[in-house]
DNA sequence: GTCTTAATAG
DNA sequence: CTATTAAGAC
């Protein structure tokens, strides 16, 4: 173990269907801790043996059935595993655990609801739930930000103009509507979370972590969005360095539509 | 083209899922004509381009949707393609075509219904249909046997004691019940078809062409059955030589539960 | 487009 | 156990 702790967050879109891609990712990035979203597997069927074989001996799981599901795989010990219900939505969208890295630091794997197709809370229950989830983060994050903490995962929101391939064309598309981006930015700013990716690659740099499966938008037209995020609490933010987006993973055989995002934490 | 025409019959259990195994088979056996069953694909989605690339430029298809389906792939011209409805059961279970091999010879690819689980015509509609299909072969085969002809395929019946791993234990198991074996043997004998596999490997030699996916019966316990057959009309039988069962195919990665059966026809 | 589950078939 | 289809989710 060196003097940096390498953390990866990745919406892997089924850990079972992409267990080999998980291996390719670890070979490439050598992470100490991996925060996964959309594992799509109940805890009992999670491929723990494979993970152990690959050195991830410490795990925190929160999966249930074919949808959603989050997990933390770690080479360093995980303490005080916790599952939080955010915004009253009980759907395996959060798990966290504490690592000892220059003192305790809590790592949260977060999976915000996607929100369906129509950005209308009246007609689209899923969109309403998504907003409720982000509203729920207002209270939830208030206590989380008080620790040395990282919140990382698929937020399903691209908050800034350079987080999408076309700000104008996506203003009415779920993930980039003001109803979402305003709420998310309010959570972040009011609590003091540092969006470390944007800190190191400030606007108007384009940063994307997701490219749709539908339409062959990748890599040609590059119609991506930055849906995956790493937030650091103020007390930890200065130790977070070397942010990276593993863009090439979108081109792998049988790729996830999301790519891994990496950060390294100094001790 | 040499002086023998190599014919293979194979229940491939999805041509799309096993297109690579089809290639392995052809590399191994170098067939001129392949009679397939359980192709599980509509004609429009049949991988014709791949077949053409591999030299099978002449095809006769009868598939419709996710189940059943038969086909003939050939390196030599196919004439007078015909689809017969046998026993009134219209389920893509037959296709035939004529090759010119020392005169015209009709090759039939046949897929007899499996028959479900309970050997009871009262409670099991599928079993009733299976018996109706074999009864239908009585009339159908009468005209077929008048030509120089091969009828090959998955008959889903193991007619003789040495066609199953335990005659006694399978007497009440569909594929080896007297209701089936008596009917099939009656069709064969009354019309004069030559079961060329049994002619060359007479009882009590064990010959199996199928090993179940359920339970790991292969290769250890060798609980197989001879469900796939090659029958020759009297006028052609003497030209049929070098029967072989490609047993090793059951051990291939992602194998079909049936293995290819080969015959060579002299000109 | 790419997964999941479930039902259905073999 | 190994396929298929269909629905639903993302």
């Amino acid at each position: 173990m060196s003097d940096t702790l390498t953390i990866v967050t990745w919406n892997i879109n089924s850990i079972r269907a992409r267990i080999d891609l998980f291996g390719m990712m670890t070979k490439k990035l050598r992470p100490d801790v991996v925060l996964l979203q959309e594992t799509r597997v109940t805890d009992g069927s999670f491929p723990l043996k494979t993970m152990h074989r690959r050195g991830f001996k410490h795990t925190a799981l929160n999966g249930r059935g074919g949808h959603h599901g989050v997990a933390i795989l770690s080479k360093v010990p995980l303490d005080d595993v916790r599952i939080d219900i955010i915004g009253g939505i009980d759907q395996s969208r959060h798990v966290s655990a504490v690592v000892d890295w220059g003192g305790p630091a809590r790592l949260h794997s977060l999976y915000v609801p996607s929100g369906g197709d129509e950005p209308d809370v009246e007609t689209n229950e899923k969109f309403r739930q998504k907003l409720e989830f982000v509203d729920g983060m207002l209270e939830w994050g208030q206590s989380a930000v008080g620790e040395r903490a990282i919140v990382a995962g698929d937020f399903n929101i691209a908050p800034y103009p350079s987080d999408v391939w076309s700000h104008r064309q996506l203003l009415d598309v779920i993930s980039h509507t003001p109803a979402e981006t305003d709420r998310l930015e309010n959570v972040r700013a009011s609590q003091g979370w540092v969006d470390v990716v944007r800190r190191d690659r400030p606007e108007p740099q384009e940063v994307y972590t997701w490219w749709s499966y539908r339409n062959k938008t990748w890599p040609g037209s590059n119609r991506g969005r930055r849906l995956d995020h790493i937030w650091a609490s103020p007390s930890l933010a200065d130790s977070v360095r070397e942010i990276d987006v593993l863009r090439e993973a979108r081109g792998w055989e049988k790729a996830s539509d999301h790519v891994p995002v990496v950060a390294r934490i100094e001790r």
Side-chain angles (χ1 to χ4, degrees), chain A:
Chain A
M1 202 65 60
S2 74
D3 241 26
T4 61
L5 187 79
T6 299
I7 295 180
V8 165
T9 180
W10 193 14
N11 175 320
I12 196 170
N13 187 12
S14 172
I15 183 61
R16 283 176 296 178
R18 275 179 255 283
I19 188 71
D20 290 345
L21 293 196
F22 183 92
M24 286 182 65
M25 181 277 289
T26 58
K27 206 169 158 185
K28 202 86 188 175
L29 301 177
R30 300 273 163 215
D32 301 299
V33 185
V34 181
L35 310 175
L36 293 180
Q37 301 86 41
E38 213 173 351
T39 51
R40 297 180 135 195
V41 65
T42 43
D43 296 347
S45 301
F46 198 97
L48 276 183
K49 254 187 290 188
T50 310
M51 292 302 178
H52 281 227
R53 215 183 316 116
R54 293 179 181 170
F56 296 94
K57 303 218 187 291
H58 312 278
T59 55
L61 305 181
N62 179 16
R64 52 179 95 164
H67 283 293
H68 325 309
V70 290
I72 306 178
L73 294 314
S74 178
K75 296 184 173 178
V76 301
L78 295 177
D79 284 327
D80 196 13
V81 171
R82 218 176 64 203
I83 289 171
D84 298 339
I85 311 291
I86 299 170
I89 293 158
D90 185 9
Q91 290 177 345
S92 290
R93 295 184 174 279
H94 171 273
V95 67
S96 70
V98 172
V99 295
D100 180 17
W101 197 254
R106 182 169 288 276
L107 309 179
H108 299 266
S109 179
L110 190 69
Y111 183 31
V112 176
S114 144
D117 290 328
E118 283 290 319
D120 182 335
V121 292
E122 302 299 327
T123 61
N124 179 359
E125 159 86 355
K126 287 177 201 300
F127 189 58
R128 198 178 51 65
Q129 282 207 336
K130 181 178 195 173
L131 299 187
E132 279 170 15
F133 190 98
V134 182
D135 286 339
M137 288 173 70
L138 220 42
E139 185 186 341
W140 170 82
Q142 200 60 255
S143 77
V145 78
E147 302 182 280
R148 293 175 79 235
I150 297 280
V151 179
D154 176 5
F155 291 16
N156 266 316
I157 297 174
Y160 307 128
S162 313
D163 291 340
V164 293
W165 62 274
S166 166
H167 176 55
R168 293 238 332 250
Q169 291 184 65
L170 289 175
L171 274 172
D172 207 36
V173 172
I174 286 180
S175 72
H176 197 60
T177 66
E180 299 161 80
T181 58
D182 291 354
R183 272 178 173 80
L184 186 68
E185 178 61 8
N186 181 40
V187 169
R188 191 198 61 72
S190 70
Q191 299 174 356
W193 294 102
V194 177
D195 177 341
V196 293
V197 178
R198 269 292 166 227
R199 180 196 63 190
D200 289 8
R201 305 189 183 189
E203 291 223 286
Q205 275 187 64
E206 288 178 354
V207 183
Y208 306 148
T209 66
W210 175 88
W211 293 262
S212 174
Y213 282 131
R214 310 168 217 189
N215 316 329
K216 293 157 193 166
T217 59
W218 196 93
S221 51
N222 194 30
R223 299 191 168 183
R225 306 181 202 171
R226 188 173 73 107
L227 303 182
D228 302 273
H229 301 270
I230 300 177
W231 286 0
S233 66
S235 50
L236 197 60
D238 288 346
S239 308
V240 179
R241 315 272 165 149
E242 293 184 73
I243 306 303
D244 218 344
V245 175
L246 190 64
R247 198 175 192 280
E248 66 170 72
R250 189 59 182 82
W252 291 347
E253 182 103 11
K254 294 195 83 213
S256 168
D257 45 354
H258 296 253
V259 298
V261 182
V262 198
R264 294 191 165 82
I265 308 179
E266 296 185 346
R267 196 194 288 268

